[in-house]
Amino acid sequence: MAPCVYIGIDFGTTFSGAAWALSSRPEDIKIVTRWRSNHSFNTDDAKAPTQLVYAPQNRYDSHSSMSYGFSSGRKVASWGYEIDTKQEPLKWFKLCLEQKAKLHPDVQKSPQLATAESMLSREGVTPVDAAADYLRQLWESIVEDLERQCGATAVKGLPFRVILTVPAMWSDSAQNNTRQAAQKAGILQSRLCGETTLDLVPEPEAAALATLAEFNDRPGVQRGDVITVCDCGGGTVDITSYTIQNINPMFVKEAVNGDGKMCGSIFVDEQFQTFLRGRLKRWDKLNSEQVKRVMDHEWEYGIKRRFSGEDGTFEVELPAEATGSVFSRKASRLKLDKRGVQSIFDPVLGRVRQLIGNQVKQVQEKYGKPPKYIMLVGGFGACRYLHHVVEKEFSRQGIEVLQTTGNANYGPWTAICRGAVIKAMSGGGFEGPSKVKVTTRVAKRNYGLTAAQRFVDGFHLPIDKVWSNPEDCYFANNQMRWCLKKGVDVATQHPVILSFYRLVQQPWELGGGQLTCDIWISEATTPENRKTMDVTKLCDIKVRIDTPFERLPPHLNKAGQMFRRISYDIEMTCSGAELKFAAIINGTRQDAQNVEALFS
């Protein structure tokens, strides 16, 4: 295997992180820390806040985006830990990479999404460009960390194999937006040492790759056991279950369809602010710097991380202005008991419990038994009270609830970026230090293509009946050929293939030497075999045809008319979070650069 660097990026809603390993020492996964910071703390955290601040825009400035080196054409003044408490950062913009109509109704109405949309509009920046500008800063920190530890010369001579994680619940269009952001961020920038590859992987799968290795030596683990991985992040909570096929090395397959909800830690933060607003009449009079200090110092790094559900009293230090004490500049304190803190957590944790409960039910129905383990990972997954609540709910069903610990850099907070590194290794034929491999995934929706069929009376609808001059007979338009059915197991390395042909008389019918076909999706459990209202377009696949028109195979129809025949296969491969497409035309596999997917 050629030497390279494996890089995993966990692009989160509230915090983002990264890890890397050299192909010569794959077992030594490094976590990126030492972020640039204007504070005396948090520079060595395993993750940095997913926030950025743009420099004020000069209305007389006519520079293009290339002059600044940023996707949006706006210069980033600060990001992550560089952001001052007096600055109002752009945050939660990752939520906007998904189409609003595809988000849960609660999220569509959430103040986080409204804030992100408002700030993007105010800055004149698209969600993709904001994500790209942030990822550029993160990417520069990764490269700096590599050069600091390995030397700039060594890094310049090593190709990069990059994995970027995405929520399991995201649509194909949101995944495509993420890929576009990564490209605009310069991650795929040309390097003399070789091509940089980039793949997307679902966040819970990355977490599973990092954590399931410990099951190799765990007593009582058997083939057929089901393990549910619950990735609790800042915005999303994703859940996926895996069935153990082999123990050492660990081979697993996705057991049932994964699920996810927007019920991460930012919604607990929202509940805390709502609680304070109800107790303090002047809470909304505080400036952004004062609110940030309370939310960070008193809540995020205080009560939120310490609370475990046990009895106790907690104090929140508040600025004097919050209580209306105009004659005193001294801070005041607000005391919270156990029930008060629970009232903040429980509305959100109720949704997490429901999410896990639905997954457990799916596993029970398919396998006749519940999962053996539930593993909590992610930043919010390290919450002590979350573990307490989930264990209380599901231990009665005989399910063990696990919460990995370890130091700050190797606990649940970094499981996803470490797992992404391991995933990058497997792309080169090496299964990584954990020896964990996902062999099969479950299709999350139906994927198909439109295709005309010979018309059959009594089977096809009369409204779809059209005359085909090339075939000299009637065909039925508006028909679907489903190549991937929802809920079906899909091998990760074997493509699904559909074969078609097309007859053309003139070169111009190919639209400039291109063959185009549409990929359609349906969320229905049992999709119909014609294009109905629940079928929506995913993307157009455009294939450039290198064969000259006159060298295409001839075809003579029944009426004696001469056509040229193009036989083609469309291959769909389930790779990580993405579907990858390939084309074979008249028996010849087309180069990757000849196949382009244009998402709707």
Side-chain angles (χ1 to χ4, degrees):
M1 186 191 310
C4 64
V5 182
Y6 304 116
I7 300 172
I9 301 174
D10 175 13
F11 174 38
T13 305
T14 54
F15 285 88
S16 297
W20 57 268
L22 301 175
S23 58
S24 58
R25 296 196 298 273
E27 70 289 340
D28 186 17
I29 297 178
K30 306 285 190 182
I31 306 297
V32 176
T33 59
R34 297 178 64 183
W35 310 101
R36 295 194 297 271
S37 176
N38 291 332
H39 311 287
S40 59
F41 56 89
N42 293 334
T43 59
D44 286 332
D45 261 10
K47 290 188 178 182
T50 309
Q51 301 177 8
L52 53 83
V53 174
Y54 285 107
Q57 192 170 26
N58 188 336
R59 59 180 178 152
Y60 302 109
D61 186 1
S62 59
H63 291 298
S64 68
S65 60
M66 293 300 293
S67 66
Y68 282 130
F70 296 105
S71 303
S72 62
R74 299 288 305 280
K75 185 176 181 180
V76 173
S78 55
W79 75 288
Y81 291 119
E82 291 180 329
I83 297 174
D84 192 284
T85 56
K86 296 179 181 179
Q87 296 175 307
E88 186 179 4
L90 173 59
K91 53 186 176 180
W92 303 321
F93 50 84
K94 178 184 170 182
L95 299 176
C96 300
L97 291 173
E98 179 62 280
Q99 296 177 30
K100 190 170 184 177
K102 294 183 179 180
L103 292 170
H104 189 277
D106 289 347
V107 181
Q108 293 181 29
K109 302 173 184 176
S110 70
Q112 289 85 1
L113 182 62
T115 298
E117 290 176 332
S118 174
M119 294 194 70
L120 286 169
S121 176
R122 187 184 69 192
E123 297 288 353
V125 177
T126 68
V128 170
D129 283 345
D133 288 340
Y134 179 83
L135 286 172
R136 184 182 295 274
Q137 302 298 317
L138 189 68
W139 181 249
E140 288 176 357
S141 293
I142 295 170
V143 175
E144 286 173 6
D145 192 73
L146 275 165
E147 292 178 346
R148 185 167 52 245
Q149 297 199 46
C150 304
T153 302
V155 172
K156 286 180 181 178
L158 292 171
F160 295 151
R161 304 287 177 258
V162 185
I163 295 290
L164 181 59
T165 65
V166 294
M169 60 185 284
W170 265 11
S171 67
D172 299 273
S173 59
Q175 294 173 19
N176 184 60
N177 286 340
T178 306
R179 176 174 281 278
Q180 286 186 38
Q183 291 173 325
K184 288 188 172 187
I187 292 176
L188 293 177
Q189 187 175 353
S190 177
R191 304 174 70 239
L192 293 177
C193 60
E195 179 188 8
T196 297
T197 63
L198 172 68
D199 287 297
L200 307 183
V201 67
E203 290 162 359
E205 180 175 323
L209 292 173
T211 56
L212 288 180
E214 67 184 67
F215 284 82
N216 287 342
D217 302 319
R218 183 180 289 270
V221 175
Q222 300 176 349
R223 289 184 181 182
D225 285 347
V226 179
I227 300 167
T228 294
V229 179
C230 188
D231 168 31
C232 306
T236 60
V237 174
D238 287 322
I239 190 165
T240 309
S241 296
Y242 298 93
T243 303
I244 296 178
Q245 296 174 297
N246 192 70
I247 295 177
N248 196 0
M250 179 71 74
F251 286 179
V252 299
K253 71 173 185 177
E254 198 172 6
V256 295
N257 248 322
D259 199 0
K261 284 185 177 181
M262 303 296 288
C263 51
S265 63
I266 60 174
F267 299 98
V268 180
D269 300 343
E270 180 187 338
Q271 287 291 126
F272 180 62
Q273 286 210 51
T274 300
F275 175 85
L276 292 179
R277 192 172 288 112
R279 291 289 190 94
L280 307 169
K281 294 181 179 180
R282 298 182 60 84
W283 172 257
D284 290 327
K285 301 296 182 181
L286 300 182
N287 61 41
S288 59
E289 182 180 0
Q290 291 171 320
V291 171
K292 183 175 175 58
R293 284 187 178 278
V294 173
M295 293 302 297
D296 284 354
H297 296 279
E298 302 301 314
W299 174 247
E300 180 65 38
Y301 298 106
I303 299 173
K304 183 178 173 183
R305 299 193 180 191
R306 286 167 30 217
F307 184 61
S308 64
E310 299 177 355
D311 288 326
T313 301
F314 301 87
E315 290 189 347
V316 180
E317 185 174 304
L318 300 164
E321 292 87 343
T323 58
S325 179
V326 296
F327 300 107
S328 174
R329 295 184 179 181
K330 293 184 179 180
S332 59
R333 295 182 179 275
L334 175 66
K335 291 187 177 181
L336 284 76
D337 59 11
K338 171 185 171 181
R339 288 186 179 180
V341 180
Q342 285 177 330
S343 70
I344 295 167
F345 274 98
D346 286 350
V348 178
L349 296 195
R351 297 183 64 191
V352 177
R353 291 203 323 269
Q354 183 183 40
L355 183 67
I356 297 174
N358 291 340
Q359 185 80 173
V360 169
K361 182 180 179 181
Q362 283 191 61
V363 172
Q364 178 74 48
E365 290 175 348
K366 184 172 182 178
Y367 294 92
K369 61 181 181 181
K372 194 166 188 175
Y373 304 97
I374 295 173
M375 298 186 67
L376 301 175
V377 298
F380 191 28
C383 174
R384 298 172 68 189
Y385 185 53
L386 174 62
H387 178 269
H388 169 78
V389 169
V390 175
E391 184 177 50
K392 183 178 179 181
E393 176 81 14
F394 296 100
S395 60
R396 66 188 70 175
Q397 299 182 44
I399 304 172
E400 288 191 58
V401 180
L402 308 178
Q403 187 181 56
T404 56
T405 55
N407 62 44
N409 289 347
Y410 287 90
W413 212 27
T414 63
I416 295 172
C417 58
R418 287 184 286 120
V421 174
I422 296 169
K423 178 65 179 179
M425 296 175 186
S426 66
F430 173 61
E431 301 309 332
S434 71
K435 301 294 184 183
V436 178
K437 180 179 181 181
V438 178
T439 63
T440 308
R441 295 185 179 87
V442 176
K444 293 175 173 55
R445 53 189 65 88
N446 304 287
Y447 294 86
L449 299 89
T450 55
Q453 302 174 4
R454 288 184 182 272
F455 188 85
V456 178
D457 284 320
F459 180 77
H460 295 114
L461 297 179
I463 195 175
D464 294 330
K465 188 176 182 179
V466 295
W467 176 258
S468 170
N469 189 51
E471 296 286 1
D472 199 36
C473 65
Y474 283 104
F475 267 67
N477 269 346
N478 219 28
Q479 305 305 298
M480 293 299 306
R481 290 185 64 182
W482 297 108
C483 50
L484 205 53
K485 292 286 188 74
K486 183 177 181 178
V488 171
D489 290 347
V490 185
T492 55
Q493 300 301 321
H494 301 294
V496 176
I497 303 175
L498 274 181
S499 299
F500 300 89
Y501 71 91
R502 182 177 173 186
L503 301 178
V504 295
Q505 275 188 311
Q506 300 296 333
W508 58 262
E509 295 179 55
L510 292 176
Q514 281 191 332
L515 185 68
T516 302
C517 64
D518 304 332
I519 303 294
W520 298 77
I521 58 174
S522 171
E523 302 290 347
T525 303
T526 307
E528 295 188 29
N529 289 326
R530 68 186 300 273
K531 194 167 62 175
T532 55
M533 292 294 292
D534 69 339
V535 177
T536 57
K537 183 186 283 191
L538 171 65
C539 63
D540 292 318
I541 304 296
K542 293 187 179 295
V543 184
R544 190 169 71 247
I545 303 174
D546 291 334
T547 306
F549 176 80
E550 60 275 7
R551 293 180 59 185
L552 293 173
H555 175 85
L556 196 66
N557 72 359
K558 294 178 182 179
Q561 296 173 307
M562 178 62 70
F563 293 84
R564 297 289 175 171
R565 180 185 175 105
I566 304 173
S567 300
Y568 61 99
D569 297 329
I570 298 296
E571 291 186 351
M572 296 173 58
T573 305
C574 183
S575 173
E578 298 176 288
L579 284 176
K580 293 190 174 180
F581 299 97
I584 300 172
I585 297 180
N586 291 336
T588 302
R589 179 173 290 277
Q590 302 302 295
D591 292 337
Q593 60 265 27
N594 284 4
V595 182
E596 182 182 13
L598 302 175
F599 285 80
S600 301

